[in-house]
Amino acid sequence: MRYHILSGVGLISACLFLFCLSIPMNLSLAQMSKSPGKEPLKETLVQGRFLGLKEALEIAMQQHPALQVANSNLKAAQARTEQIRSLYYPQVYADMAAAAGVGGINPRFVTPAGAMLRQNLSQYTGGVIANQRLYDFGFTKELVESSDKAAVAQEQDISARRALVELNVQRTFLASLKHRRLVQIAEDTIRVRGAIKSQVEALYRQQLKSKLDLDFVQVELTNAESLLVKARNNLKAGFADLNRAMGVEGSDDYVLEDIPTEVRPLPSLDSLIESSRSHPEQKKAQEQLRSAEAKVRATKKQYLPTVNAIASAGDYETFDTSRGERTGGWWAASAVLSFPLFTGFLIENQVHEARAQQTAADATTADIQQVLTQQVTTSYLNVLSLAQQIKLNEELVKTATESLQLARERYKLGLSSVVEVTQSEVGLTAAQTKLAEALYDYKIAEATLVYAAGGNTQLQIDPTIR
Protein backbone atom coordinates (compact mmCIF):
# COMPACT_ATOMS: atom_id res chain seq x y z
CA MET A 1 0.00 0.00 0.00
CA ARG A 2 2.83 2.34 0.84
CA TYR A 3 4.49 1.51 -2.47
CA HIS A 4 1.39 2.61 -4.36
CA ILE A 5 1.20 5.86 -2.44
CA LEU A 6 4.83 6.70 -3.22
CA SER A 7 4.31 5.76 -6.85
CA GLY A 8 1.32 8.12 -7.00
CA VAL A 9 3.35 10.95 -5.52
CA GLY A 10 6.09 10.35 -8.08
CA LEU A 11 3.56 10.38 -10.89
CA ILE A 12 2.09 13.66 -9.66
CA SER A 13 5.59 15.18 -9.41
CA ALA A 14 6.41 14.13 -12.93
CA CYS A 15 3.19 15.68 -14.25
CA LEU A 16 3.92 18.93 -12.46
CA PHE A 17 7.43 18.94 -13.91
CA LEU A 18 6.14 18.46 -17.45
CA PHE A 19 3.51 21.18 -16.90
CA CYS A 20 6.20 23.61 -15.82
CA LEU A 21 8.18 22.82 -18.95
CA SER A 22 5.11 23.60 -21.05
CA ILE A 23 4.94 27.17 -19.68
CA PRO A 24 6.04 29.64 -22.44
CA MET A 25 9.59 30.77 -21.87
CA ASN A 26 8.71 34.37 -22.71
CA LEU A 27 6.35 34.64 -19.73
CA SER A 28 7.26 37.80 -17.88
CA LEU A 29 8.71 37.72 -14.41
CA ALA A 30 5.79 39.77 -13.17
CA GLN A 31 3.31 37.10 -14.31
CA MET A 32 5.34 34.19 -12.85
CA SER A 33 5.77 35.90 -9.50
CA LYS A 34 2.07 36.43 -8.83
CA SER A 35 1.74 34.25 -5.74
CA PRO A 36 0.12 34.90 -2.36
CA GLY A 37 2.28 36.95 -0.05
CA LYS A 38 4.77 37.97 -2.76
CA GLU A 39 4.99 41.33 -4.53
CA PRO A 40 5.22 41.12 -8.35
CA LEU A 41 8.58 42.09 -9.82
CA LYS A 42 8.72 45.22 -11.99
CA GLU A 43 8.94 44.67 -15.74
CA THR A 44 11.93 46.08 -17.55
CA LEU A 45 11.06 48.97 -19.89
CA VAL A 46 11.73 48.25 -23.56
CA GLN A 47 13.83 50.91 -25.22
CA GLY A 48 12.81 52.47 -28.53
CA ARG A 49 14.29 51.56 -31.86
CA PHE A 50 17.65 52.84 -33.06
CA LEU A 51 17.53 56.02 -35.12
CA GLY A 52 20.49 57.54 -36.93
CA LEU A 53 20.75 61.09 -38.21
CA LYS A 54 20.94 60.00 -41.85
CA GLU A 55 17.84 57.83 -41.46
CA ALA A 56 15.96 60.67 -39.77
CA LEU A 57 16.81 62.96 -42.70
CA GLU A 58 15.67 60.36 -45.23
CA ILE A 59 12.35 59.94 -43.42
CA ALA A 60 11.83 63.71 -43.39
CA MET A 61 12.63 64.05 -47.10
CA GLN A 62 10.04 61.39 -47.95
CA GLN A 63 7.20 62.14 -45.54
CA HIS A 64 7.31 65.73 -44.33
CA PRO A 65 4.04 67.52 -45.25
CA ALA A 66 5.85 70.77 -46.07
CA LEU A 67 7.75 69.04 -48.88
CA GLN A 68 4.57 67.43 -50.17
CA VAL A 69 2.95 70.86 -50.29
CA ALA A 70 5.95 72.26 -52.17
CA ASN A 71 5.85 69.43 -54.72
CA SER A 72 2.13 70.03 -55.30
CA ASN A 73 2.75 73.76 -55.74
CA LEU A 74 5.40 72.99 -58.34
CA LYS A 75 3.02 70.77 -60.32
CA ALA A 76 0.39 73.52 -60.18
CA ALA A 77 2.90 76.12 -61.41
CA GLN A 78 3.99 73.88 -64.28
CA ALA A 79 0.32 73.32 -65.21
CA ARG A 80 -0.24 77.10 -65.29
CA THR A 81 2.68 77.47 -67.68
CA GLU A 82 1.15 74.89 -70.02
CA GLN A 83 -2.20 76.68 -69.80
CA ILE A 84 -0.62 79.89 -71.07
CA ARG A 85 1.41 78.02 -73.69
CA SER A 86 -1.90 76.76 -75.12
CA LEU A 87 -2.27 80.19 -76.80
CA TYR A 88 0.33 79.01 -79.32
CA TYR A 89 -2.03 76.27 -80.53
CA PRO A 90 -5.38 76.52 -82.35
CA GLN A 91 -8.54 76.47 -80.27
CA VAL A 92 -11.08 74.12 -81.88
CA TYR A 93 -14.73 73.90 -80.82
CA ALA A 94 -17.72 71.94 -82.08
CA ASP A 95 -21.09 73.73 -82.34
CA MET A 96 -24.62 72.76 -83.21
CA ALA A 97 -27.66 75.01 -83.54
CA ALA A 98 -31.33 74.49 -84.38
CA ALA A 99 -34.11 76.98 -85.16
CA ALA A 100 -37.81 76.80 -85.95
CA GLY A 101 -40.31 79.42 -87.06
CA VAL A 102 -39.38 82.64 -88.81
CA GLY A 103 -35.87 82.78 -87.35
CA GLY A 104 -32.91 81.74 -89.44
CA ILE A 105 -29.44 80.37 -88.86
CA ASN A 106 -26.31 81.91 -90.30
CA PRO A 107 -24.42 78.76 -91.23
CA ARG A 108 -21.07 80.48 -91.66
CA PHE A 109 -20.60 81.24 -87.96
CA VAL A 110 -23.28 78.97 -86.48
CA THR A 111 -25.30 81.79 -84.91
CA PRO A 112 -29.06 82.38 -85.03
CA ALA A 113 -29.95 85.43 -87.14
CA GLY A 114 -33.30 86.55 -85.90
CA ALA A 115 -33.42 89.54 -88.24
CA MET A 116 -33.37 87.32 -91.32
CA LEU A 117 -37.18 86.86 -91.41
CA ARG A 118 -38.59 84.14 -93.60
CA GLN A 119 -41.44 81.68 -93.70
CA ASN A 120 -41.85 79.18 -90.89
CA LEU A 121 -39.08 76.68 -91.25
CA SER A 122 -37.28 74.11 -89.10
CA GLN A 123 -33.52 73.91 -89.67
CA TYR A 124 -30.29 72.92 -87.99
CA THR A 125 -26.60 73.28 -88.58
CA GLY A 126 -23.51 71.72 -87.04
CA GLY A 127 -19.79 72.18 -87.50
CA VAL A 128 -16.45 73.13 -86.02
CA ILE A 129 -14.75 76.48 -85.45
CA ALA A 130 -10.96 76.89 -85.20
CA ASN A 131 -9.32 80.02 -83.83
CA GLN A 132 -5.56 80.49 -84.18
CA ARG A 133 -3.62 83.42 -82.77
CA LEU A 134 -1.19 84.51 -85.46
CA TYR A 135 0.67 87.43 -83.91
CA ASP A 136 0.40 89.43 -80.68
CA PHE A 137 3.72 91.31 -80.62
CA GLY A 138 5.27 89.05 -77.98
CA PHE A 139 2.43 89.09 -75.42
CA THR A 140 2.14 85.31 -75.26
CA LYS A 141 5.92 84.88 -75.24
CA GLU A 142 6.38 87.20 -72.25
CA LEU A 143 3.43 85.65 -70.43
CA VAL A 144 4.86 82.15 -70.90
CA GLU A 145 8.28 83.32 -69.71
CA SER A 146 6.72 84.89 -66.60
CA SER A 147 4.88 81.69 -65.75
CA ASP A 148 7.94 79.58 -66.49
CA LYS A 149 10.08 81.66 -64.11
CA ALA A 150 7.39 81.28 -61.47
CA ALA A 151 7.62 77.49 -61.91
CA VAL A 152 11.41 77.66 -61.53
CA ALA A 153 10.88 79.69 -58.35
CA GLN A 154 8.71 76.83 -57.06
CA GLU A 155 11.55 74.42 -57.76
CA GLN A 156 13.83 76.61 -55.65
CA ASP A 157 11.11 76.69 -53.02
CA ILE A 158 11.35 72.89 -52.79
CA SER A 159 15.11 73.16 -52.28
CA ALA A 160 14.61 75.87 -49.66
CA ARG A 161 12.05 73.79 -47.77
CA ARG A 162 14.28 70.74 -47.94
CA ALA A 163 17.14 72.75 -46.44
CA LEU A 164 14.87 74.08 -43.69
CA VAL A 165 13.46 70.63 -42.92
CA GLU A 166 17.00 69.25 -42.82
CA LEU A 167 18.05 71.99 -40.40
CA ASN A 168 15.08 71.31 -38.11
CA VAL A 169 15.82 67.57 -38.08
CA GLN A 170 19.47 68.20 -37.22
CA ARG A 171 18.61 70.70 -34.50
CA THR A 172 15.97 68.50 -32.85
CA PHE A 173 18.20 65.43 -33.18
CA LEU A 174 21.08 67.25 -31.47
CA ALA A 175 18.74 68.70 -28.86
CA SER A 176 17.52 65.18 -28.06
CA LEU A 177 21.14 64.03 -27.72
CA LYS A 178 21.74 66.92 -25.33
CA HIS A 179 18.72 65.94 -23.23
CA ARG A 180 19.89 62.32 -23.24
CA ARG A 181 23.31 63.43 -21.97
CA LEU A 182 21.66 65.50 -19.23
CA VAL A 183 19.67 62.42 -18.21
CA GLN A 184 22.90 60.44 -17.96
CA ILE A 185 24.49 63.17 -15.85
CA ALA A 186 21.45 63.23 -13.56
CA GLU A 187 21.55 59.44 -13.19
CA ASP A 188 25.26 59.53 -12.36
CA THR A 189 24.60 62.29 -9.85
CA ILE A 190 21.95 60.20 -8.10
CA ARG A 191 24.32 57.25 -7.90
CA VAL A 192 27.11 59.40 -6.43
CA ARG A 193 24.84 61.13 -3.94
CA GLY A 194 23.25 57.81 -3.05
CA ALA A 195 26.71 56.43 -2.25
CA ILE A 196 27.49 59.49 -0.14
CA LYS A 197 24.20 59.07 1.70
CA SER A 198 24.98 55.41 2.42
CA GLN A 199 28.38 56.36 3.86
CA VAL A 200 26.96 59.17 5.99
CA GLU A 201 24.10 56.95 7.15
CA ALA A 202 26.56 54.26 8.24
CA LEU A 203 28.61 56.82 10.15
CA TYR A 204 25.44 58.23 11.70
CA ARG A 205 24.45 54.81 13.00
CA GLN A 206 27.88 54.51 14.57
CA GLN A 207 27.29 57.97 16.08
CA LEU A 208 30.31 59.34 14.22
CA LYS A 209 28.26 61.88 12.24
CA SER A 210 25.33 64.03 13.16
CA LYS A 211 21.74 63.80 11.95
CA LEU A 212 22.25 67.18 10.27
CA ASP A 213 24.80 65.71 7.88
CA LEU A 214 22.41 62.90 6.93
CA ASP A 215 19.52 65.32 6.39
CA PHE A 216 21.67 67.60 4.26
CA VAL A 217 22.74 64.72 2.01
CA GLN A 218 19.13 63.54 1.74
CA VAL A 219 18.03 67.00 0.58
CA GLU A 220 20.68 67.04 -2.16
CA LEU A 221 19.70 63.53 -3.22
CA THR A 222 16.06 64.61 -3.51
CA ASN A 223 17.12 67.60 -5.60
CA ALA A 224 19.05 65.27 -7.93
CA GLU A 225 16.00 63.02 -8.30
CA SER A 226 13.88 66.04 -9.16
CA LEU A 227 16.39 67.09 -11.81
CA LEU A 228 16.33 63.57 -13.24
CA VAL A 229 12.54 63.66 -13.59
CA LYS A 230 12.80 67.00 -15.38
CA ALA A 231 15.59 65.76 -17.65
CA ARG A 232 13.60 62.67 -18.63
CA ASN A 233 10.53 64.76 -19.42
CA ASN A 234 12.66 67.07 -21.55
CA LEU A 235 14.01 64.03 -23.39
CA LYS A 236 10.47 62.82 -24.11
CA ALA A 237 9.56 66.29 -25.36
CA GLY A 238 12.71 66.26 -27.51
CA PHE A 239 11.60 63.01 -29.14
CA ALA A 240 8.21 64.58 -29.87
CA ASP A 241 9.96 67.57 -31.47
CA LEU A 242 12.09 65.18 -33.51
CA ASN A 243 9.00 63.37 -34.79
CA ARG A 244 7.46 66.70 -35.76
CA ALA A 245 10.65 67.71 -37.56
CA MET A 246 10.56 64.43 -39.51
CA GLY A 247 6.86 64.93 -40.28
CA VAL A 248 5.77 61.60 -38.76
CA GLU A 249 3.85 60.28 -35.79
CA GLY A 250 6.64 58.08 -34.53
CA SER A 251 7.73 56.54 -31.25
CA ASP A 252 8.29 58.65 -28.15
CA ASP A 253 11.48 56.78 -27.35
CA TYR A 254 14.55 56.31 -29.55
CA VAL A 255 18.07 55.01 -29.19
CA LEU A 256 19.86 57.82 -30.99
CA GLU A 257 23.08 57.63 -32.92
CA ASP A 258 26.01 59.43 -31.28
CA ILE A 259 27.25 62.49 -33.17
CA PRO A 260 30.87 63.66 -32.85
CA THR A 261 31.03 66.95 -30.97
CA GLU A 262 34.59 68.02 -31.70
CA VAL A 263 35.34 71.66 -32.38
CA ARG A 264 36.51 72.30 -35.94
CA PRO A 265 38.10 75.34 -37.58
CA LEU A 266 35.79 77.73 -39.45
CA PRO A 267 36.18 79.36 -42.87
CA SER A 268 36.35 83.13 -42.99
CA LEU A 269 33.18 85.11 -42.40
CA ASP A 270 33.42 86.83 -45.80
CA SER A 271 33.54 83.50 -47.63
CA LEU A 272 30.48 82.27 -45.74
CA ILE A 273 28.54 85.44 -46.57
CA GLU A 274 29.49 85.06 -50.22
CA SER A 275 28.37 81.42 -50.09
CA SER A 276 24.97 82.50 -48.73
CA ARG A 277 24.20 84.17 -52.08
CA SER A 278 23.59 80.69 -53.49
CA HIS A 279 21.04 79.90 -50.81
CA PRO A 280 17.80 78.36 -52.21
CA GLU A 281 15.73 81.14 -50.64
CA GLN A 282 17.83 83.72 -52.49
CA LYS A 283 17.52 81.82 -55.77
CA LYS A 284 13.76 81.55 -55.28
CA ALA A 285 13.46 85.32 -54.76
CA GLN A 286 15.57 86.00 -57.85
CA GLU A 287 13.34 83.77 -60.02
CA GLN A 288 10.24 85.47 -58.64
CA LEU A 289 11.77 88.83 -59.57
CA ARG A 290 12.42 87.62 -63.14
CA SER A 291 8.84 86.36 -63.32
CA ALA A 292 7.53 89.77 -62.23
CA GLU A 293 9.70 91.56 -64.80
CA ALA A 294 8.40 89.34 -67.60
CA LYS A 295 4.82 89.94 -66.45
CA VAL A 296 5.35 93.71 -66.67
CA ARG A 297 6.56 93.33 -70.25
CA ALA A 298 3.60 91.09 -71.06
CA THR A 299 0.97 93.48 -69.69
CA LYS A 300 2.45 96.37 -71.69
CA LYS A 301 2.11 94.31 -74.90
CA GLN A 302 -1.67 94.31 -74.44
CA TYR A 303 -1.74 97.88 -75.86
CA LEU A 304 -0.67 96.41 -79.22
CA PRO A 305 -3.02 94.70 -81.72
CA THR A 306 -3.65 90.97 -81.97
CA VAL A 307 -4.07 89.06 -85.23
CA ASN A 308 -6.22 85.92 -85.22
CA ALA A 309 -7.28 83.50 -87.94
CA ILE A 310 -10.77 82.00 -87.74
CA ALA A 311 -12.02 79.06 -89.81
CA SER A 312 -15.27 77.14 -89.66
CA ALA A 313 -16.85 74.23 -91.55
CA GLY A 314 -19.97 72.14 -91.12
CA ASP A 315 -23.31 71.04 -92.52
CA TYR A 316 -26.65 72.92 -92.91
CA GLU A 317 -29.97 71.11 -93.30
CA THR A 318 -33.73 71.81 -93.15
CA PHE A 319 -36.37 69.43 -91.86
CA ASP A 320 -38.77 70.29 -94.72
CA THR A 321 -36.96 69.57 -97.98
CA SER A 322 -40.07 70.37 -100.07
CA ARG A 323 -39.47 74.09 -99.63
CA GLY A 324 -36.47 73.95 -101.93
CA GLU A 325 -33.92 75.30 -99.46
CA ARG A 326 -30.29 74.77 -100.42
CA THR A 327 -28.58 72.52 -97.90
CA GLY A 328 -25.24 70.75 -97.60
CA GLY A 329 -21.71 71.37 -96.37
CA TRP A 330 -20.07 74.78 -96.00
CA TRP A 331 -16.79 76.34 -94.88
CA ALA A 332 -15.52 79.83 -94.16
CA ALA A 333 -12.21 81.44 -93.24
CA SER A 334 -11.26 84.93 -92.09
CA ALA A 335 -8.57 86.97 -90.36
CA VAL A 336 -9.35 89.33 -87.47
CA LEU A 337 -7.24 92.27 -86.34
CA SER A 338 -8.13 93.33 -82.80
CA PHE A 339 -6.87 96.61 -81.38
CA PRO A 340 -7.88 97.79 -77.86
CA LEU A 341 -9.31 101.29 -77.93
CA PHE A 342 -10.82 101.53 -74.48
CA THR A 343 -10.98 98.74 -71.85
CA GLY A 344 -12.26 100.67 -68.84
CA PHE A 345 -8.66 101.20 -67.66
CA LEU A 346 -8.23 97.42 -67.35
CA ILE A 347 -4.85 97.28 -69.08
CA GLU A 348 -3.57 100.36 -67.28
CA ASN A 349 -4.33 98.86 -63.88
CA GLN A 350 -2.88 95.50 -64.89
CA VAL A 351 0.37 97.31 -65.73
CA HIS A 352 0.28 99.11 -62.36
CA GLU A 353 -0.28 95.80 -60.58
CA ALA A 354 2.58 94.10 -62.40
CA ARG A 355 4.96 96.98 -61.64
CA ALA A 356 4.01 96.88 -57.95
CA GLN A 357 4.64 93.13 -57.89
CA GLN A 358 8.03 93.70 -59.51
CA THR A 359 8.95 96.32 -56.89
CA ALA A 360 7.86 93.96 -54.11
CA ALA A 361 9.87 91.08 -55.58
CA ASP A 362 12.94 93.30 -55.89
CA ALA A 363 12.61 94.39 -52.25
CA THR A 364 12.06 90.79 -51.14
CA THR A 365 15.27 89.72 -52.87
CA ALA A 366 17.25 92.43 -51.10
CA ASP A 367 15.61 91.63 -47.77
CA ILE A 368 16.38 87.91 -48.01
CA GLN A 369 20.04 88.63 -48.74
CA GLN A 370 20.21 90.94 -45.72
CA VAL A 371 18.55 88.32 -43.52
CA LEU A 372 20.96 85.63 -44.70
CA THR A 373 23.94 87.90 -44.10
CA GLN A 374 22.66 88.60 -40.60
CA GLN A 375 22.04 84.88 -39.93
CA VAL A 376 25.51 83.93 -41.16
CA THR A 377 27.15 86.61 -39.02
CA THR A 378 25.14 85.73 -35.91
CA SER A 379 25.66 81.99 -36.32
CA TYR A 380 29.36 82.48 -37.01
CA LEU A 381 29.84 84.50 -33.82
CA ASN A 382 27.69 82.05 -31.88
CA VAL A 383 29.85 79.14 -33.03
CA LEU A 384 33.02 80.98 -32.01
CA SER A 385 31.55 81.86 -28.62
CA LEU A 386 30.40 78.29 -27.92
CA ALA A 387 33.79 76.91 -28.97
CA GLN A 388 35.41 79.12 -26.33
CA GLN A 389 32.81 78.08 -23.76
CA ILE A 390 33.60 74.43 -24.45
CA LYS A 391 37.27 74.97 -23.60
CA LEU A 392 36.39 76.86 -20.42
CA ASN A 393 33.85 74.25 -19.33
CA GLU A 394 36.32 71.44 -19.95
CA GLU A 395 38.73 73.15 -17.58
CA LEU A 396 35.89 73.72 -15.14
CA VAL A 397 34.97 70.01 -15.17
CA LYS A 398 38.59 69.07 -14.58
CA THR A 399 38.87 71.49 -11.66
CA ALA A 400 35.54 70.38 -10.16
CA THR A 401 36.59 66.70 -10.39
CA GLU A 402 39.82 67.40 -8.53
CA SER A 403 37.95 69.47 -5.95
CA LEU A 404 35.48 66.62 -5.32
CA GLN A 405 38.28 64.10 -4.87
CA LEU A 406 40.03 66.38 -2.40
CA ALA A 407 36.80 67.00 -0.47
CA ARG A 408 36.17 63.25 -0.17
CA GLU A 409 39.64 62.64 1.19
CA ARG A 410 39.28 65.47 3.69
CA TYR A 411 35.91 64.10 4.77
CA LYS A 412 37.34 60.61 5.32
CA LEU A 413 40.09 62.08 7.49
CA GLY A 414 37.59 64.14 9.43
CA LEU A 415 39.03 67.43 8.29
CA SER A 416 35.81 68.73 6.72
CA SER A 417 32.06 68.31 6.89
CA VAL A 418 29.75 66.60 4.44
CA VAL A 419 28.67 70.03 3.27
CA GLU A 420 32.00 70.50 1.52
CA VAL A 421 31.69 67.12 -0.19
CA THR A 422 28.13 67.82 -1.32
CA GLN A 423 28.96 71.29 -2.58
CA SER A 424 31.90 69.90 -4.54
CA GLU A 425 29.66 67.24 -6.05
CA VAL A 426 27.03 69.86 -6.94
CA GLY A 427 29.76 71.96 -8.57
CA LEU A 428 30.90 68.97 -10.65
CA THR A 429 27.35 68.25 -11.78
CA ALA A 430 26.84 71.88 -12.77
CA ALA A 431 30.13 71.89 -14.69
CA GLN A 432 29.25 68.67 -16.53
CA THR A 433 25.84 70.06 -17.39
CA LYS A 434 27.33 73.28 -18.77
CA LEU A 435 29.84 71.32 -20.83
CA ALA A 436 27.15 69.04 -22.31
CA GLU A 437 24.94 72.01 -23.17
CA ALA A 438 27.85 73.90 -24.72
CA LEU A 439 28.90 70.90 -26.85
CA TYR A 440 25.47 70.26 -28.35
CA ASP A 441 24.59 73.94 -28.62
CA TYR A 442 27.82 74.28 -30.60
CA LYS A 443 26.70 71.57 -33.03
CA ILE A 444 23.26 73.19 -33.34
CA ALA A 445 24.86 76.56 -34.07
CA GLU A 446 27.13 74.89 -36.59
CA ALA A 447 24.13 73.31 -38.37
CA THR A 448 22.42 76.72 -38.42
CA LEU A 449 25.54 78.25 -39.94
CA VAL A 450 25.59 75.55 -42.63
CA TYR A 451 21.97 76.36 -43.48
CA ALA A 452 22.48 80.13 -43.59
CA ALA A 453 25.63 79.73 -45.71
CA GLY A 454 23.69 77.78 -48.33
CA GLY A 455 25.05 74.35 -47.38
CA ASN A 456 28.78 75.08 -47.09
CA THR A 457 30.39 71.63 -47.32
CA GLN A 458 33.26 72.57 -45.00
CA LEU A 459 30.87 72.72 -42.04
CA GLN A 460 28.70 69.65 -42.52
CA ILE A 461 27.95 67.61 -39.42
CA ASP A 462 28.25 64.40 -41.39
CA PRO A 463 29.88 64.45 -44.88
CA THR A 464 27.65 61.52 -45.96
CA ILE A 465 24.44 63.49 -45.48
CA ARG A 466 24.44 65.62 -48.62
Side-chain angles (χ1 to χ4, degrees):
M1 184 68 179
R2 183 179 180 182
Y3 173 79
H4 291 290
I5 293 175
L6 293 176
S7 298
V9 172
L11 180 60
I12 294 173
S13 300
C15 292
L16 290 174
F17 178 74
L18 293 175
F19 174 75
C20 292
L21 289 178
S22 65
I23 296 177
M25 297 302 295
N26 60 354
L27 191 61
S28 66
L29 292 176
Q31 294 172 332
M32 295 180 65
S33 62
K34 290 181 179 178
S35 58
K38 290 187 178 181
E39 183 180 357
L41 297 177
K42 294 182 179 180
E43 295 183 5
T44 303
L45 294 177
V46 180
Q47 290 185 333
R49 70 179 185 88
F50 177 81
L51 180 66
L53 178 57
K54 185 176 181 180
E55 180 186 359
L57 291 171
E58 291 175 349
I59 293 174
M61 294 302 109
Q62 295 174 1
Q63 302 188 29
H64 201 285
L67 298 181
Q68 297 176 2
V69 170
N71 288 325
S72 298
N73 290 338
L74 173 60
K75 293 178 180 178
Q78 292 173 340
R80 283 192 294 270
T81 302
E82 295 304 318
Q83 292 173 28
I84 298 174
R85 190 174 278 114
S86 65
L87 296 176
Y88 286 125
Y89 304 100
Q91 312 296 311
V92 182
Y93 301 92
D95 288 290
M96 178 173 287
V102 298
I105 294 178
N106 184 351
R108 290 181 177 272
F109 300 104
V110 200
T111 57
M116 299 172 60
L117 297 180
R118 60 181 68 187
Q119 297 178 355
N120 291 338
L121 185 66
S122 297
Q123 55 189 324
Y124 72 90
T125 183
V128 294
I129 298 177
N131 187 349
Q132 173 65 58
R133 179 170 295 196
L134 299 179
Y135 191 68
D136 57 8
F137 293 90
F139 170 76
T140 302
K141 175 179 174 297
E142 297 294 349
L143 210 58
V144 169
E145 182 179 356
S146 175
S147 183
D148 187 61
K149 295 299 181 183
V152 175
Q154 287 298 326
E155 293 178 358
Q156 295 299 328
D157 180 65
I158 293 178
S159 300
R161 294 197 185 197
R162 288 173 64 91
L164 184 59
V165 167
E166 181 178 332
L167 172 63
N168 290 333
V169 170
Q170 291 178 351
R171 295 177 65 175
T172 54
F173 194 95
L174 291 166
S176 297
L177 286 177
K178 178 175 69 174
H179 294 314
R180 186 188 69 178
R181 177 58 185 148
L182 295 180
V183 168
Q184 295 171 351
I185 292 174
E187 292 174 344
D188 293 340
T189 300
I190 289 178
R191 283 193 292 268
V192 172
R193 295 184 185 179
I196 295 176
K197 178 189 174 184
S198 299
Q199 295 175 2
V200 175
E201 189 174 10
L203 295 174
Y204 169 71
R205 290 175 181 175
Q206 298 174 7
Q207 297 183 354
L208 298 177
K209 295 296 180 181
S210 65
K211 184 68 165 54
L212 181 62
D213 288 353
L214 181 60
D215 292 341
F216 186 81
V217 173
Q218 179 60 50
V219 169
E220 294 300 331
L221 178 59
T222 303
N223 291 336
E225 292 173 346
S226 176
L227 291 176
L228 177 59
V229 172
K230 182 179 179 180
R232 285 176 174 172
N233 288 336
N234 290 337
L235 180 59
K236 291 290 185 181
F239 288 147
D241 293 339
L242 179 58
N243 286 331
R244 179 65 185 93
M246 292 188 295
V248 298
E249 296 180 0
S251 171
D252 60 350
D253 192 11
Y254 292 107
V255 178
L256 299 179
E257 172 193 14
D258 289 326
I259 300 297
T261 55
E262 74 279 0
V263 177
R264 294 178 291 183
L266 294 176
S268 65
L269 179 58
D270 292 338
S271 64
L272 292 172
I273 293 177
E274 183 64 28
S275 178
S276 68
R277 301 185 185 279
S278 62
H279 195 280
E281 286 286 354
Q282 183 69 14
K283 292 182 178 179
K284 172 187 172 182
Q286 292 172 351
E287 294 298 334
Q288 288 176 336
L289 176 59
R290 296 188 182 100
S291 174
E293 292 171 346
K295 187 175 182 181
V296 170
R297 296 192 297 268
T299 53
K300 289 181 178 179
K301 296 294 179 65
Q302 293 183 101
Y303 288 116
L304 302 176
T306 301
V307 181
N308 289 345
I310 301 177
S312 63
D315 182 67
Y316 171 74
E317 298 291 344
T318 61
F319 291 103
D320 187 0
T321 58
S322 63
R323 295 179 179 271
E325 295 285 341
R326 291 188 57 189
T327 61
W330 53 267
W331 67 271
S334 64
V336 179
L337 176 65
S338 176
F339 188 86
L341 297 178
F342 181 71
T343 60
F345 306 105
L346 173 65
I347 299 177
E348 289 82 356
N349 286 286
Q350 288 178 342
V351 172
H352 293 331
E353 178 187 3
R355 284 176 175 171
Q357 291 174 346
Q358 178 185 356
T359 303
D362 191 12
T364 300
T365 303
D367 181 64
I368 289 177
Q369 183 55 54
Q370 293 175 5
V371 170
L372 291 174
T373 301
Q374 182 266 338
Q375 287 184 350
V376 169
T377 304
T378 302
S379 300
Y380 183 85
L381 296 175
N382 196 18
V383 169
L384 291 179
S385 176
L386 289 169
Q388 295 175 358
Q389 291 182 28
I390 289 173
K391 294 181 180 179
L392 295 175
N393 289 327
E394 287 175 346
E395 293 295 329
L396 186 61
V397 169
K398 182 179 179 181
T399 303
T401 302
E402 295 174 353
S403 176
L404 178 59
Q405 294 174 352
L406 179 59
R408 287 176 176 175
E409 294 298 328
R410 286 170 55 82
Y411 183 72
K412 289 180 181 179
L413 298 175
L415 299 177
S416 64
S417 65
V418 72
V419 176
E420 182 179 348
V421 177
T422 305
Q423 288 179 345
S424 299
E425 195 278 328
V426 170
L428 177 59
T429 300
Q432 291 174 338
T433 300
K434 289 182 180 179
L435 178 59
E437 290 177 344
L439 284 171
Y440 288 103
D441 288 344
Y442 169 84
K443 299 304 293 184
I444 292 174
E446 190 181 66
T448 306
L449 181 57
V450 172
Y451 167 78
N456 190 296
T457 56
Q458 301 179 35
L459 292 175
Q460 292 173 13
I461 294 177
D462 184 357
T464 64
I465 292 176
R466 295 180 186 267

